[in-house]
Amino acid sequence: MAISFFLIQIVSAQESELLMETELVASPDVSNPKFNGGDLNKFYEYINQEFNYTTVKEARKIVVSFTVTELGEVKKIKVLEFPNIEAASEIIRVLNKSPQWEPAKRAGKPFSVVIKMPLLFKQK
């Protein structure tokens, strides 16, 4: 089974629910959070390595949201859409053990952001 990802939406916890990643990136004084020194592709690699795929019985989508705090911690994990309780529990487990992130910054000062991430699981 392979995992593929699409539609990454990063929403500032202090701003409108409609603020998308492209708007954050477009602002010269804002930097998105970084995972293990890289972008979200590094985070996908982490999920691919840590996630137990036997919990997903069919090709489906899991939608999660979580906060990357101003300290780089993953908090407030919510599973918004899931194929079964086992897969939901597994993604929570993986996110809970996530290494610390480099937090988002605005004008050089760290701030918390909420990341909403749909993960699409496909059969190989």
Side-chain angles (χ1 to χ4, degrees):
M1 175 162 314
I3 188 169
S4 64
F5 305 93
F6 60 98
L7 184 63
I8 302 307
Q9 179 184 11
I10 298 179
V11 181
S12 168
Q14 292 110 6
E15 297 181 27
S16 165
E17 286 295 310
L18 300 176
L19 184 62
M20 297 288 213
E21 176 183 15
T22 54
E23 293 176 87
L24 282 176
V25 172
S27 179
D29 67 336
V30 174
S31 65
N32 289 326
K34 291 183 175 67
F35 181 79
N36 277 346
D39 60 11
L40 287 175
N41 287 325
K42 283 280 211 188
F43 188 57
Y44 299 149
E45 290 172 14
Y46 165 76
I47 292 173
N48 273 321
Q49 291 173 348
E50 298 295 326
F51 192 86
N52 177 358
Y53 292 99
T54 63
T55 62
V56 179
K57 308 294 185 216
E58 58 185 286
R60 293 282 300 271
K61 178 171 62 172
I62 296 177
V63 180
V64 297
S65 76
F66 56 93
T67 299
V68 175
T69 71
E70 62 276 352
L71 299 175
E73 301 168 322
V74 174
K75 300 286 185 183
K76 299 181 184 177
I77 299 166
K78 297 177 187 171
V79 182
L80 307 172
E81 186 177 328
F82 55 94
N84 57 54
I85 196 70
E86 295 83 8
S89 296
E90 178 61 8
I91 196 65
I92 290 170
R93 181 192 71 78
V94 170
L95 291 172
N96 273 325
K97 69 178 271 192
S98 169
Q100 192 165 350
W101 292 56
E102 181 183 319
K105 292 181 182 164
R106 179 182 294 122
K109 296 181 182 176
F111 70 100
S112 295
V113 294
V114 175
I115 298 177
K116 182 179 178 186
M117 182 178 290
L119 310 171
L120 181 62
F121 292 85
K122 295 181 178 179
Q123 297 283 352
K124 272 192 172 179

